[in-house]
Amino acid sequence: MPPEVRVIGVEGMPELGPGDDLAGLMIDAAAAQGTPIEEGDILVVTQKVVSKVEGKVMSFEDIEPSQLAITITEGHRRDPRHTEAILREAVRIVRMDRGVIIAETKHGFYCANAGIDASNIPGNNTIALLPDDSDASAQGIRAAVQSRLGVNVAVIVSDTFGRPWRNGAANVAIGVAGMDPLLDYVGAPDAYGNILHTTQIAAADELAATAELVTGKSLGIPVTIIRGYEFEPMEDATIQRLLRTGERDLFR
């Protein structure tokens, strides 16, 4: 049979909050819709729902903007308290222009507004921050699924990032567990016997982007099951495998 991958959105999950059993609710919702989680599945979980259950949500009422945040925000629609949160989460400001802040986060990500946004969050003055450690988040979900169902799965925590030189955003992986996020072909022959010297595929990013096709931004589907993709198992997986180090970054 030719290769085939199935992508299944998990419906029926409630609005989640701090301390909720994300893994348990995922398992129950998948079973209720007739697609129970199986051995070898890849579970793609949106960052926003992970941030909610981990308490990484802030109200503007709890943020006092600095003078720098107020100055940066002048002339733009963003609330200066939102800008202050971005500055606090950033370890380096890469670029600021026309109201957009490109920041390097403590996780090593380069993204708009340090990954902070207000979409899919209840309330008008509430923002969600990135999880402190999305690898640990993914590992916790994977362990809970293994404990309850006795099946081995991989887990990806995804978020939406913009892309330099291209319009439109795409989902990427910001945390991973149970699989190598990088598919490395270096040293292998291609279909014509030529040895590949540089080819590495960001498999976790491609899976995250695939999941977004069924989760969307307004469908209320925070979890996707990807079935049929044969991933490379990796017990000590980390998203750092996908982050280019400074000495190899031509744009730093």
Side-chain angles (χ1 to χ4, degrees):
M1 293 181 61
E4 180 180 86
V5 176
R6 186 179 179 194
V7 186
I8 308 164
V10 178
E11 298 182 307
M13 293 185 62
E15 178 65 36
L16 299 179
D20 282 343
D21 181 10
L22 174 55
L25 291 167
M26 289 165 44
I27 292 169
D28 292 342
Q33 70 179 22
T35 56
I37 295 170
E38 298 178 357
E39 179 78 18
D41 283 347
I42 300 168
L43 309 178
V44 182
V45 187
T46 61
Q47 164 267 320
K48 196 63 58 66
V49 74
V50 173
S51 292
K52 287 178 181 178
V53 300
E54 294 184 358
K56 297 297 291 183
V57 175
M58 296 184 67
S59 170
F60 284 161
E61 296 177 359
D62 299 324
I63 303 172
E64 181 68 31
S66 63
Q67 185 56 52
L68 176 59
I70 294 170
T71 301
I72 291 172
T73 309
E74 286 179 356
H76 302 289
R77 292 182 298 174
R78 183 189 298 118
D79 190 299
R81 294 170 293 183
H82 191 165
T83 300
E84 177 64 24
I86 294 168
L87 295 176
R88 293 180 187 180
E89 287 294 295
V91 298
R92 184 168 72 95
I93 300 299
V94 179
R95 180 77 181 268
M96 290 191 296
D97 190 21
R98 287 166 282 186
V100 177
I101 301 174
I102 305 299
E104 179 184 1
T105 73
K106 61 186 178 183
H107 321 83
F109 305 141
Y110 291 79
C111 52
N113 301 328
I116 298 174
D117 70 69
S119 64
N120 290 311
I121 296 289
N124 296 323
N125 295 307
T126 309
I127 52 176
L129 283 60
L130 295 180
D132 289 329
D133 184 344
S134 293
D135 284 335
S137 303
Q139 290 160 6
I141 294 169
R142 179 173 182 252
V145 171
Q146 289 176 321
S147 175
R148 179 167 163 182
L149 298 180
V151 297
N152 183 47
V153 298
V155 178
I156 295 169
V157 177
S158 68
D159 195 12
T160 305
F161 280 22
R163 303 169 298 159
W165 305 291
R166 296 181 75 91
N167 289 322
N171 267 22
V172 300
I174 63 168
V176 64
M179 65 170 287
D180 190 344
L182 190 68
L183 191 57
D184 193 346
Y185 289 102
V186 174
D190 66 11
Y192 299 96
N194 301 307
I195 300 300
L196 299 171
H197 296 285
T198 62
T199 304
Q200 294 179 314
I201 304 299
D205 284 344
E206 293 192 335
L207 291 163
T210 299
E212 203 277 334
L213 297 176
V214 298
T215 59
K217 293 302 175 192
S218 58
L219 300 178
I221 300 176
V223 178
T224 303
I225 299 170
I226 297 182
R227 183 165 294 164
Y229 179 78
E230 295 186 8
F231 57 87
E232 184 68 30
M234 178 178 281
E235 289 299 320
D236 58 349
T238 171
I239 204 63
Q240 297 302 314
R241 287 267 289 160
L242 292 184
L243 304 185
R244 185 162 290 170
T245 56
E247 63 271 14
R248 299 183 64 237
D249 184 354
L250 299 180
F251 303 98
R252 182 179 287 269

